[in-house]
Amino acid sequence: MLDIIKIRSKFPILSRKVNGQDLVYFDNGATTQKPQVVIDAEANYYANENSNVHRGVHFLSGLATDKFEETRNTIQKFIGAKHKHEIIFTKGTTDAINLVANGFRTLLNKGDEVIISEMEHHSNIVPWQMCCEQSGATLKVIPLLNNGSLDMIAFENFLTENTKLVSVSHISNTLGTINPIKEIIEKAQAVGAKVMIDGAQAAAHISLNMQSLGADYYCFSAHKLYGPTGVGILYGKEDVLNELPPYQGGGEMIKEVSFKKTTYACLPHKFEAGTPNIAGVVAFKSAIDFINELGLSNIAKYEEELLQYATEEVLKIEGLKIYGTAKNKSGIISFNINELHPYDIGVIVDKLGIAIRTGHHCTQPIMERFNIPGTARISLAVYNTKEEIDICINAIIKAKQMLS
Amino acid sequence: METIKEIQEEIIEDFEIFDDWMQKYEFLIDLGKELPQIEEQYKIEDNLIKGCQSRVWLHAEEKNGSIVYSADSDAIMTKGIIAILLRVLSNQKSEDIINADLSFIDEIGLKEQLSATRANGLVSMIKKIKLFALALGKR
């Protein structure tokens, strides 16, 4: 059993007021709050350890490099990767997807096919549109069923020897659907395609093991795992990453540079051009340590309990409809009430100190699919409580009264 | 005809009676419900102001030397804000609209009530209103 009061006390922001009210933070799908250990680690890095990594012979450069690489080790263990050099530091999930999609521009030809899904975040749509435009490949989109899960029959029908890459999210940021990624990976790889999983909404909520999962690429952002902004992880299988052309050129990513021919560094440095967000990477380790101390299975169990409670309670509001009712769901509830615009609900509950997200959540195709302008979204994290859910629901009821 | 400045002063007075945000919001919601609807034929792409959160349609025409606006939005709060803007700026002369100093927005606490993204939406609305005035005033 997790001690939620103790967990909450580690997050300084959770005790602040918003519009004169106690903050209730339900926008964890956008970003999570940071525990003091993460804030301290970032400050301590600049106060005591700052230097550039992988470059100098002096003491601080060595210290910074050790700290930086320690995070890589921690991530390797956290996601069960086979090799340390399969972990690439990026700016975030979007950056990681762009890195892969950019590489595929030269790997794909006319007639090749890339499969994504209708539930993807724009950052797992647009890079592939750009990639297909440049390479002449065709983009195919797995449709959604009414409950917000993927149409797996359509997916299987898409798979042919022309399929070169499948990129889908592990968990939908709008609908909360947990996709059957193991099945997707196996079926896609059976026709020789590579598979990329956008794990932005999953890594803080589901225990991961890359070796048993078998994904070719998997990516996520530190800031959705109680870590700093501006840091992301791209995992790739060693041989798959070796085949992928480098993304950005610059320092650190080269073996030898001459005007005749430049050769590239080995993994992971081939994909880490330029000075990275060292402080963020160092502090990210503290976030992973924080998660590991609680235990991801305990977090998942608690969040499941919250999700169930919140779902039951919001459904008591007359006229409320939840979008995303798949059997296998993560702690995300997207909803609308009658004809009310989600924006109107959002601005009123904000005045009551409650942070929920409203809008299209960077998933306009989902909005089109359900023919709605947007939704209001509650997304949960380990520090949320049932009391907060009650406060939020009362605020939503208040908003509904004011607007009706 | 009341000038833009006079109407602004009236609105500031209207808002002075409210003690808290909830009354202000309720007032905005009521104004939103009363906003004269734009005719369906004018709800076209060209008249759409796209924000991240809600959509706004704005139409303008010239009548007897003044610019007359009509608008709609899919969100009521947004409609309320447009209603206030149009109360100030509709039925005015083109050059008065273009040169209007809309200081009342700050004084009634509309801008501070609205976060940066929403305040940007307000800026786009004002810009579109002034652009219409500029285009129609030239004719």
Side-chain angles (χ1 to χ4, degrees):
Chain A
M1 272 276 282
L2 296 173
D3 182 350
I4 304 303
I5 294 173
K6 194 173 153 202
I7 291 171
R8 288 181 69 82
S9 72
K10 294 179 179 184
F11 290 80
I13 207 168
L14 294 181
S15 50
R16 72 157 287 170
K17 302 260 178 197
V18 165
N19 291 321
Q21 312 280 332
D22 289 333
L23 167 67
V24 172
Y25 188 77
F26 279 138
D27 195 16
N28 297 290
T31 195
T32 54
Q33 299 302 344
K34 320 304 171 198
Q36 191 65 49
V37 281
V38 170
I39 300 165
D40 288 348
E42 183 136 356
N44 180 58
Y45 171 79
Y46 284 122
N48 296 305
E49 297 160 345
N50 176 53
S51 191
N52 211 331
V53 290
H54 303 129
R55 282 162 176 80
V57 293
H58 57 82
F59 175 83
L60 282 180
S61 177
L63 181 63
T65 304
D66 287 349
K67 286 282 199 171
F68 188 80
E69 291 302 320
E70 237 177 75
T71 302
R72 207 187 301 272
N73 287 333
T74 304
I75 300 295
Q76 182 201 344
K77 287 196 200 95
F78 184 67
I79 65 169
K82 194 171 179 188
H83 303 290
K84 187 184 158 177
H85 55 256
E86 292 176 327
I87 309 300
I88 312 291
F89 288 116
T90 67
K91 287 186 289 182
T93 305
T94 300
D95 190 35
I97 297 171
N98 275 283
L99 187 160
V100 176
N102 195 75
F104 266 84
R105 287 182 188 188
T106 52
L107 297 178
L108 295 177
N109 296 302
K110 204 169 181 313
D112 289 342
E113 291 173 357
V114 173
I115 299 176
I116 59 171
S117 90
E118 201 174 8
M119 69 164 66
E120 298 313 310
H121 189 282
H122 295 162
S123 61
N124 199 25
I125 299 176
V126 184
W128 299 113
Q129 287 177 324
M130 290 159 70
C131 171
C132 288
E133 208 168 284
Q134 298 242 334
S135 63
T138 307
L139 193 65
K140 298 210 147 186
V141 183
I142 311 166
L144 279 177
L145 300 176
N146 286 338
N147 70 353
S149 61
L150 293 177
D151 183 344
M152 292 296 284
I153 295 166
F155 167 63
E156 282 177 49
N157 288 336
F158 281 162
L159 291 172
T160 68
E161 58 188 16
N162 295 328
T163 312
K164 293 293 179 272
L165 189 111
V166 176
S167 188
V168 291
S169 51
H170 193 163
I171 294 176
S172 159
N173 70 306
T174 302
L175 305 165
T177 315
I178 303 176
N179 288 319
I181 54 164
K182 177 100 176 145
E183 186 187 338
I184 290 170
I185 291 165
E186 282 166 2
K187 287 185 170 151
Q189 287 174 344
V191 298
K194 300 276 186 283
V195 182
M196 171 149 204
I197 303 294
D198 168 359
Q201 296 295 332
H205 310 282
I206 293 180
S207 178
L208 297 169
N209 186 300
M210 289 305 127
Q211 290 177 79
S212 60
L213 189 63
D216 295 288
Y217 303 100
Y218 193 102
C219 59
F220 53 95
S221 300
H223 73 94
K224 294 193 206 285
L225 281 86
Y226 312 103
T229 54
V231 176
I233 300 296
L234 171 66
Y235 158 84
K237 281 182 188 164
E238 182 184 37
D239 55 337
V240 169
L241 285 177
N242 276 328
E243 281 167 24
L244 192 72
Y247 179 34
Q248 291 176 323
E252 183 76 27
M253 57 76 72
I254 48 88
K255 196 192 258 165
E256 276 178 275
V257 175
S258 76
F259 289 111
K260 270 192 194 141
K261 184 171 172 62
T262 290
T263 50
Y264 305 123
C266 297
L267 295 174
H269 307 295
K270 174 181 157 189
F271 294 109
E272 293 181 356
T275 298
N277 180 355
I278 306 168
V281 168
V282 169
F284 188 24
K285 180 181 179 295
S286 299
I288 300 291
D289 290 344
F290 166 80
I291 290 173
N292 284 335
E293 268 169 46
L294 301 180
L296 256 180
S297 57
N298 293 329
I299 294 175
K301 206 173 141 202
Y302 177 67
E303 288 176 352
E304 169 68 36
E305 193 184 313
L306 280 183
L307 172 67
Q308 209 181 332
Y309 179 75
T311 306
E312 280 166 19
E313 293 301 309
V314 292
L315 283 174
K316 288 180 187 164
I317 300 173
E318 215 189 300
L320 184 140
K321 184 180 174 196
I322 293 179
Y323 295 89
T325 50
K327 207 170 138 214
N328 213 358
K329 254 193 86 169
S330 178
I332 288 170
I333 300 175
S334 256
F335 64 90
N336 278 325
I337 303 173
N338 295 328
E339 298 304 309
L340 299 184
H341 198 284
Y343 166 85
D344 288 323
I345 297 170
V347 292
I348 292 173
V349 302
D350 169 61
K351 293 305 279 186
L352 295 161
I354 297 152
I356 60 169
R357 176 82 181 267
T358 61
H360 54 62
H361 317 293
C362 297
T363 56
Q364 287 178 357
I366 297 181
M367 301 305 133
E368 208 173 302
R369 163 71 172 74
F370 291 105
N371 195 23
I372 46 178
T375 68
R377 183 190 70 179
I378 295 170
S379 53
L380 305 167
V382 69
Y383 42 65
N384 289 130
T385 64
K386 287 185 182 172
E387 290 72 34
E388 286 182 312
I389 291 168
D390 293 339
I391 294 168
C392 179
I393 284 168
N394 284 333
I396 294 167
I397 293 169
K398 174 89 205 163
K400 188 189 163 196
Q401 283 166 351
M402 282 176 74
L403 293 163
S404 300
Chain B
M1 193 180 72
E2 284 182 289
T3 65
I4 288 177
K5 199 164 177 292
E6 284 162 359
I7 303 171
Q8 288 197 46
E9 275 156 17
E10 275 174 29
I11 293 174
I12 292 166
E13 273 176 40
D14 284 348
F15 270 80
E16 268 167 6
I17 59 164
F18 300 130
D19 300 326
D20 62 8
W21 70 270
M22 202 173 279
Q23 290 173 339
K24 268 188 205 176
Y25 274 32
E26 274 166 349
F27 183 63
L28 277 178
I29 291 166
D30 287 343
L31 286 175
K33 287 175 181 165
E34 288 162 16
L35 175 72
Q37 289 280 333
I38 188 172
E39 282 177 50
E40 274 308 311
Q41 56 171 324
Y42 298 126
K43 280 174 100 170
I44 51 171
E45 191 71 19
D46 277 354
N47 288 341
L48 188 62
I49 307 166
K50 277 183 191 154
C52 192
Q53 296 274 346
S54 59
R55 293 184 298 173
V56 174
W57 291 268
L58 184 73
H59 172 69
E61 49 195 283
E62 203 219 312
K63 271 182 196 159
N64 310 321
S66 295
I67 313 289
V68 180
Y69 295 91
S70 58
D72 195 12
S73 172
D74 44 6
I76 299 180
M77 295 287 289
T78 312
K79 275 169 87 166
I81 290 161
I82 307 167
I84 293 186
L85 283 178
L86 294 197
R87 189 169 142 201
V88 176
L89 296 170
S90 194
N91 287 307
Q92 299 289 342
K93 299 245 171 299
S94 150
E95 67 261 32
D96 293 340
I97 297 168
I98 296 163
N99 298 321
D101 166 23
L102 300 169
S103 52
F104 81 104
I105 293 170
D106 284 328
E107 287 197 45
I108 61 173
L110 253 190
K111 215 169 191 168
E112 69 189 42
Q113 297 284 345
L114 302 169
S115 71
T117 48
R118 286 177 257 153
N120 284 341
L122 188 63
V123 171
S124 327
M125 275 186 241
I126 294 168
K127 195 171 155 195
K128 185 95 177 174
I129 289 171
K130 291 197 172 189
L131 279 173
F132 266 126
L134 192 67
L136 291 170
K138 271 184 188 162
R139 284 191 197 163

